[in-house]
Amino acid sequence: MVYEPESVWEFSTTGNVTFGLGAAEELEAVVQEHGATNVLVVTDEGVADAGIVDEVIGPIESGEYTVYDGVEPDPALSTFEEAREVATEVDPDFVVGIGGGSSMDVAKTTSVVHEHGGDILDYVAAPTGRGEDVPGPGVPTACLPTTAGTGSETSPVTVISLPDEDIKVGISSRYQRPDVALVDPGLTVSLPPGPTASSGMDALCHAIEAYVTRRYDAKPAPANRSERPDYNGRSVLTDQFARSAIEHIGTGLRDAVNNGQDLAARRNMALGSLMAGIAFTNAGLGATHAIAMAAGAIHHTPHGVTIALTLPQVIRHNAASAADRYADVAELLGEDTARASPGDAAEQAAVAVERLAADVGIDGGLSTLGIEADDVAHIAERASTLERLLAGNPRRVTQTDLEEIIRRSI
């Protein structure tokens, strides 16, 4: 069989993005535009207790609304099922996700499952689920992020934890992209320094991995359009989003952590996270996210912190295959690479990431999260099965390579 590379790239994102201070205030108009009279709000207790839900939803006068605030970090299957049950009771004609990636993920999946029926696992890939395709659009959905990190407001993917099995699975469908994203930097002002730092490092990794992932034409052509993967490789367009995201996050993260009221820094972070989300949900990710997903499922480590502590060693592993790209990353993060060889500049990128993470309070290695040498093989074995993430890594990565990366990150 003759190998035929992909010859086109595809680019998708949320139907409508509204960005800037006060964007959240437009939710009422969005609800009216959709003719909705029965709104389901999906969020978590922290966001609700902070008064953000009341602030955002309070002005809605066009109908009834119900708040489900049972979402937890790394939401379990039971949380998705509970939200679906609430939707069944109230039969919403519009769904709103307010919070971090977890709340937005639960909102997106609730939207499509309520519309099309079935169990949550029906839409999860085999062998864990039945691998059914989402047949069409769900209930119209808006997402309002209160963190600057996950990019879930642009993403077709939701992540579901199965704690009894120590794994995370996902549902991926273009029909899970929200109809509207209202990205308001003001909603992130109350986020404490720790979550600001970890979510920001996650966003930075989204941008870096999207920038260095394999090109779209380095992948095989699909048999037809419908079989093209969501992560279809980097293109000239994803490069522009990724580069700008790296620059905005490198500029804004330290100030956002050190002074949460700094609106310029919060704006940089919100915009950087949004652009990173747009980049990676089209181009793809890599080994850093595979390791973090595996470690999170097995040891319940915080995702953004795991990302921050693993990314430098992934850069060092990948440098031989993407030195020029990492040199760009170093420059975008403020490093002077004028006299450095590509290999040295790639090392500068790794060091710049380590320095940024340390400056926002994330350092000490994976051992600070309770990961020890005896855990390495198990995490690497689980990470090696995450082909959707590893397929775009710029350098071939084996289970042995993953073990070495994790060991060096401890």
Side-chain angles (χ1 to χ4, degrees), residues 58-345:
I60 292 181
E61 299 176 353
S62 56
E64 298 294 326
Y65 64 86
T66 301
V67 176
Y68 170 73
D69 64 359
V71 180
E72 79 278 18
D74 297 320
L77 175 62
S78 59
T79 301
F80 284 82
E81 291 173 336
E82 190 172 69
R84 181 199 59 189
E85 290 173 4
V86 173
T88 299
E89 293 173 6
V90 303
D91 192 23
D93 54 8
F94 199 85
V95 176
V96 177
I98 305 175
S102 296
S103 293
M104 291 187 283
D105 278 4
V106 174
K108 293 186 301 186
T109 293
T110 299
S111 161
V112 295
V113 175
H114 179 65
E115 181 70 19
H116 300 290
D119 295 328
I120 306 295
L121 289 179
D122 289 346
Y123 303 104
V124 171
T128 306
R130 296 181 61 184
E132 295 182 5
D133 292 332
V134 176
V139 178
T141 302
C143 282
L144 291 80
T146 61
T147 67
T150 68
S152 184
E153 70 275 11
T154 72
S155 173
V157 177
T158 58
V159 179
I160 303 167
S161 294
L162 303 178
D164 293 340
E165 303 175 46
D166 284 340
I167 62 173
K168 290 183 180 182
V169 295
I171 299 175
S172 180
S173 169
R174 66 185 63 194
Y175 296 121
Q176 285 199 131
R177 290 188 189 273
D179 297 274
V180 178
L182 299 174
V183 184
D184 188 336
L187 295 185
T188 69
V189 167
S190 62
L191 192 68
T196 297
S198 60
S199 60
M201 291 303 297
D202 188 20
L204 178 65
C205 186
H206 288 158
I208 291 174
E209 291 203 309
Y211 189 65
V212 304
T213 194
R214 296 180 185 182
R215 277 171 54 105
Y216 70 95
D217 53 4
K219 296 186 174 186
N224 54 64
R225 177 183 175 88
S226 66
E227 294 183 9
R228 182 173 292 122
D230 292 319
Y231 294 170
N232 58 79
R234 61 179 170 87
S235 68
V236 64
L237 192 52
T238 63
D239 280 353
Q240 296 308 308
F241 279 97
R243 287 176 61 89
S244 189
I246 294 167
E247 204 163 25
H248 277 80
I249 295 166
T251 299
L253 183 55
R254 291 180 177 88
D255 289 340
V257 170
N258 290 330
N259 177 11
Q261 306 295 316
D262 185 334
L263 290 179
R266 291 295 192 183
R267 185 182 187 280
N268 274 328
M269 290 306 303
L271 188 55
S273 174
L274 173 66
M275 291 188 292
I278 292 171
F280 92 80
T281 58
N282 284 279
L285 292 168
T288 312
H289 272 81
I291 292 169
M293 285 281 287
I298 297 169
H299 293 282
H300 310 294
T301 58
H303 180 74
V305 177
T306 310
I307 288 288
L309 297 175
T310 307
L311 176 58
Q313 295 303 334
V314 172
I315 292 174
R316 293 182 172 109
H317 173 81
N318 288 340
S321 297
D324 290 344
R325 289 255 146 183
Y326 285 121
D328 290 343
V329 170
E331 186 175 345
L332 291 165
L333 289 175
E335 298 293 313
D336 182 2
T337 62
R339 298 183 180 180
S341 68
D344 288 342

